[in-house]
Amino acid sequence: MKYESVFVPVDPASAVNDIQFEKDFTTLPHSSYEWERIYATFVAAGDVEGARTHVQDLFRNQKMIQVGNLSRSELNQARYLAVSLITVVTRVAINHGADELKCYQASDEFIQFLDTCKDPAVISARAFASAEIMIQAVHDAKQISENNLYFKRCREYIFNHLGEKITVSSLAEICGLTPNYLSSLVNQLSGKTITDYILEQRIQVAKRLLLDEKNSIVEIAVFLGFSSQSYFISCFRKQTGETPRRWKMHHNAETGIKLY
């Protein structure tokens, strides 16, 4: 799809603060600082269309020629810039409410892609596509009311106790709500039942753990609180359409993500 819309300047009042941006990212790719700061603002706002238009402006005005030389190899140059972009976007997206698992999953899958891709243009396009996944995650977080303290408390507890037995009653007690009200709230904000939401989070973590060859399927099943390996495999297949072993074969890469 081709986008012809012209670049619209970001409202200075909503822009990412220069001082905070410099503090968070002491090492930046050698592209235009102003371009990158504004792009980070679109990430923080969860504005997919704005970010996409900003990228179109970059290429339309050939601003990429201003990028510093990070390598004599065109391929390595593209890789280094792409990794820098993904690092910045991941940090900004998570800091502005995006689901950590979605962001890390998008980042991990992009890094795996870099191992095999030899086309600088494809690398650049894929990097911005991966960035859009994270920007969309920021948008989704804002849409489901990231300021809802009950849902945030519920989500944080689930994320920090994925290996334990989590019941609707225990979550309701932690949030200070009745089980029925909490169930209704989670369904309204996430579109899922609490049980399905917990399972989705466990499978997302399982995917990241499967990327490390040192983590066996049975270890991951135990670590994430599944009652048996067979039950874990069944749940994983239902969520992804593949068994953990098959998924692992398709995403085989050493990432350093350890169980303990």
Side-chain angles (χ1 to χ4, degrees), residues 8-235:
V8 179
V10 175
D11 179 2
S14 64
V16 173
N17 180 275
D18 278 339
I19 297 176
Q20 185 61 44
F21 189 64
E22 291 175 341
K23 179 181 177 182
D24 289 345
F25 307 105
T26 55
T27 303
L28 295 170
H30 296 232
S31 53
S32 165
Y33 173 83
E34 181 63 14
W35 184 92
E36 194 160 304
R37 187 185 68 81
I38 294 175
Y39 188 74
T41 296
F42 286 120
V43 176
D47 186 350
V48 176
E49 186 60 34
R52 188 177 294 150
T53 300
H54 194 48
V55 171
Q56 291 292 323
D57 175 70
L58 174 74
F59 287 101
R60 183 164 50 244
N61 295 308
Q62 296 183 318
K63 293 179 181 177
M64 288 300 287
I65 61 175
Q66 299 176 13
V67 176
N69 292 321
L70 304 181
S71 172
R72 294 180 180 178
S73 163
E74 183 183 3
L75 176 59
N76 285 338
Q77 170 88 352
R79 284 175 169 167
Y80 296 152
L81 287 172
V83 169
S84 297
L85 172 74
I86 292 300
T87 299
V88 170
V89 173
T90 302
R91 182 84 62 82
V92 173
I94 291 175
N95 283 348
H96 286 82
D99 187 289
E100 290 185 34
L101 293 178
K102 287 183 180 178
C103 291
Y104 286 132
Q105 188 72 27
S107 175
D108 290 345
E109 290 181 357
F110 175 72
I111 298 302
Q112 293 170 53
F113 166 80
L114 279 185
D115 287 341
T116 57
C117 185
K118 307 295 183 183
D119 187 330
V122 174
I123 288 174
S124 178
R126 179 66 178 265
F128 285 116
S130 297
E132 284 193 9
I133 293 174
M134 300 187 217
I135 299 171
Q136 184 64 48
V138 176
H139 173 79
D140 292 345
K142 293 181 184 298
Q143 287 297 103
I144 64 173
S145 183
E146 65 179 11
N147 293 322
N148 188 301
L149 296 181
Y150 294 121
F151 183 72
K152 286 184 69 177
R153 188 180 304 169
C154 179
R155 184 172 63 180
E156 288 170 1
Y157 182 87
I158 290 171
F159 183 78
N160 291 320
H161 297 82
L162 285 175
E164 304 172 17
K165 182 178 180 180
I166 305 174
T167 66
V168 176
S169 296
S170 63
L171 279 174
E173 185 175 352
I174 289 166
C175 294
L177 302 172
T178 65
N180 286 341
Y181 185 83
L182 180 62
S183 296
S184 176
L185 179 65
V186 171
N187 183 260
Q188 177 187 353
L189 297 178
S190 72
K192 300 176 179 65
T193 66
I194 292 178
T195 300
D196 287 343
Y197 184 82
I198 293 171
L199 179 59
E200 180 184 64
Q201 299 304 302
R202 283 182 168 139
I203 297 303
Q204 288 298 322
V205 172
K207 287 180 181 179
R208 298 195 68 223
L209 295 174
L210 283 166
L211 293 174
D212 191 323
E213 290 296 320
K214 294 182 177 64
N215 299 330
S216 71
I217 291 174
V218 65
E219 287 177 324
I220 293 172
V222 172
F223 182 73
L224 291 175
F226 288 92
S227 56
S228 67
Q229 181 179 350
S230 60
Y231 181 58
F232 167 58
I233 293 173
S234 174
C235 291

